[in-house]
Amino acid sequence: MIRKLAFALVMTTAFAGGSANAAEIRRAPSSGAIAITPSVAVPAGTELIFLSGALPTIADKERPGATEEQTRSVLSKLETALKAEGLGHGDVVKATVFLVGDPSRGGEIDFSGLNKAWSEVFGTTAQPNKPARSTVKVAGLVLPGALVEIEFVAAKTR
């Protein structure tokens, strides 16, 4: 009984704003070369913002660009959407990436191209936060020539 009361007191103090660290988003350390984390813990009271999947801007339908270039385009669009919410890439806690096989690569996805562009905005010296991420190979996307679509979940502590 005393243990339960002590635990309840600690938890009440932590989530009532008594501890700045209690409201922090926790990201598990990453040991891989990819700028993602195996898990993210978001505390109670945190506002979650779900960003719908974004597709790249394709100026030339005949030459839609490679996965790396398209990923940069999508990340830029998502950055604009994050900014509209008062957020940035560092607030992203979960991402889902849909990749189409690149015809110029024999239908294989360009995972390294995705990760090269990805690592320019996540896990950098300027922005060290890394989100949890899933990457799925899909047969196609709604935009002809698109090789990548990305959706985000971001978190804002109050």
Side-chain angles (χ1 to χ4, degrees):
M1 179 69 166
I2 292 175
R3 250 188 226 169
K4 286 183 184 177
L5 287 174
F7 178 75
L9 178 61
V10 168
M11 294 308 289
T12 301
T13 302
F15 288 104
S19 169
N21 290 336
E24 290 181 11
I25 295 168
R26 292 187 331 268
R27 298 166 195 269
S30 163
S31 61
I34 300 173
I36 61 173
T37 183
S39 66
V40 179
V42 179
T46 302
E47 180 180 7
L48 296 179
I49 298 91
F50 296 81
L51 278 68
S52 294
L55 294 160
T57 298
I58 298 177
D60 183 351
K61 304 282 187 224
E62 299 299 316
R63 300 172 58 121
T67 299
E68 183 178 335
E69 176 186 350
Q70 288 192 16
T71 300
R72 283 190 190 98
S73 173
V74 173
L75 291 172
S76 177
K77 284 183 175 183
L78 288 169
E79 180 179 31
T80 299
L82 287 165
K83 284 181 180 179
E85 294 289 337
L87 303 169
H89 283 120
D91 299 303
V92 176
V93 294
K94 173 69 172 95
T96 304
V97 178
F98 304 95
L99 287 181
V100 175
D102 187 337
S104 70
R105 299 172 60 89
E108 291 302 314
I109 61 170
D110 183 5
F111 197 61
S112 63
L114 162 72
N115 288 324
K116 184 173 181 188
W118 187 267
S119 65
E120 293 170 4
V121 297
F122 293 107
T124 66
T125 303
Q127 196 297 98
N129 291 340
K130 302 174 188 177
R133 185 183 85 188
S134 300
T135 304
V136 181
K137 181 179 180 180
V138 296
L141 296 167
V142 298
L143 177 65
L147 300 174
V148 61
E149 180 174 348
I150 303 171
E151 62 184 28
F152 282 162
V153 177
K156 180 191 281 188
T157 54
R158 297 178 185 181

